Amino acid sequence: MDTTDSKATGSKATDQNALGGIDPATVSRLRLAIARIHRQMVQASSGQGLTFAQLSALARVEQHGPLRLGELAARERVAASSMTRTLAPLTAAGLVGKAPDPQDGRSWLIEVTAHGREVLAEIRRERSEMLAARIGGLTAEQCAALHAAIPVLEALTDEPE
Amino acid sequence: MDTTDSKATGSKATDQNALGGIDPATVSRLRLAIARIHRQMVQASSGQGLTFAQLSALARVEQHGPLRLGELAARERVAASSMTRTLAPLTAAGLVGKAPDPQDGRSWLIEVTAHGREVLAEIRRERSEMLAARIGGLTAEQCAALHAAIPVLEALTDEPE
DNA sequence: TATTGTTATACTCTATAACTATA
DNA sequence: TATAGTTATAGAGTATAACAATA
């Protein structure tokens, strides 16, 4: 019903805004909620083709065109070695291409393939059952609040630079 | 700037509400955002004492009083064997107590200790730097949207039963 | 027999450190 | 030398399967 939650946050609304943020206890709730949703998403989508790490990297490559492996790793906020591992099944499956960088013989340019785009589109259409089902159980107000927050959550993933 | 994001979601606002949910492409964005925030939270808090799994279990035990291990595992949506492993360091550190269940000799009752409560309180105060810092970089509007969505995100973690 | 919890084992994701090839 | 990427290894988190003790 109410999406504001009086228990832990309502009483702090003023000094929360004074700081331009959200009080620590509420941030903790957000942390826990994100961790738990993530765990359940991973469980719900295990064995459905791409893992989360692969999906995230593939979506990043699709969005930001050809990227060197190191750039991709930096944008995904993982070590280069992690990205090497994440990409291996994607290249093996033909979802991304790996071409030698003409400007630097040590480097590669990673780009999504046509097949990779198809797979991504399919995943976007079909692979959110668990989350979509739970969202379907929300009230219209809750749904609106969540919808409004999605771009904010995306902003939180961006570099603070 | 704008928290509504016209690109992928604005055009679908009506049929999204007709379904009582959010369109699949937007749900995908939410999935990816949660996964990426989670990854960055894990990185930012590695080596700070409790892991996320431990913190989540400890908070659950604090909130729901004495629980049998199986009940705790079910609420956390993990296998009992996973919970056994997660609890081991918590009991070793004296953050939770494990008493034989008087009603069932096979079972244990897990409860938070006074020390566990202290540690949780401290974590809630101090251990959200990365997330709090990024939230501090949001506009007031974004902050309000996020704040309103926190209870909704918590609702998404609850059992659909 | 069925259930509760534990142990053994395996897989994913990630990191650091050591290595190779190129700059 | 310094840098881009890879490989080796390790730790966290999770699962399934086999096992113990109890119901």
Side-chain angles (χ1 to χ4, degrees), chain A:
Chain A
M1 319 268 121
D2 75 334
T3 55
T4 52
D5 185 271
S6 55
K7 280 197 299 294
T9 65
S11 60
K12 293 280 188 177
T14 48
D15 57 344
Q16 157 217 324
N17 290 331
L19 291 167
I22 294 182
D23 69 274
T26 307
V27 174
S28 286
R29 288 172 52 204
L30 177 59
R31 281 205 312 153
L32 217 45
I34 287 172
R36 287 172 174 165
I37 294 173
H38 177 259
R39 178 158 62 191
Q40 293 176 37
M41 291 193 309
V42 169
Q43 289 168 344
S45 63
S46 78
Q48 283 196 354
L50 296 191
T51 67
F52 261 85
Q54 291 162 8
L55 174 59
S56 185
L58 182 56
R60 183 81 65 178
V61 171
E62 185 197 41
Q63 189 177 8
H64 292 102
L67 282 172
R68 306 203 319 179
L69 185 143
E71 290 175 336
L72 177 55
R75 293 206 192 220
E76 285 288 295
R77 298 273 191 283
V78 298
S81 63
S82 303
M83 190 50 68
T84 296
R85 293 205 183 279
T86 299
L87 286 182
L90 296 179
T91 52
L95 304 184
V96 301
K98 216 172 140 179
D101 183 343
Q103 315 214 310
D104 189 335
R106 299 167 299 179
S107 196
W108 302 92
L109 289 177
I110 318 292
E111 184 154 34
V112 66
T113 63
H115 184 211
R117 285 186 201 276
E118 288 167 18
V119 168
L120 263 179
E122 187 183 343
I123 287 175
R124 290 197 174 107
R125 261 184 281 112
E126 302 176 0
R127 200 178 133 187
S128 303
E129 300 83 7
M130 170 251 147
L131 196 52
R134 298 206 179 176
I135 289 171
L138 297 175
T139 67
E141 279 185 353
Q142 287 177 317
C143 203
L146 180 60
H147 196 265
I150 290 174
V152 181
L153 292 169
E154 288 176 330
L156 289 181
T157 70
D158 291 343
E159 47 269 87
E161 302 128 14

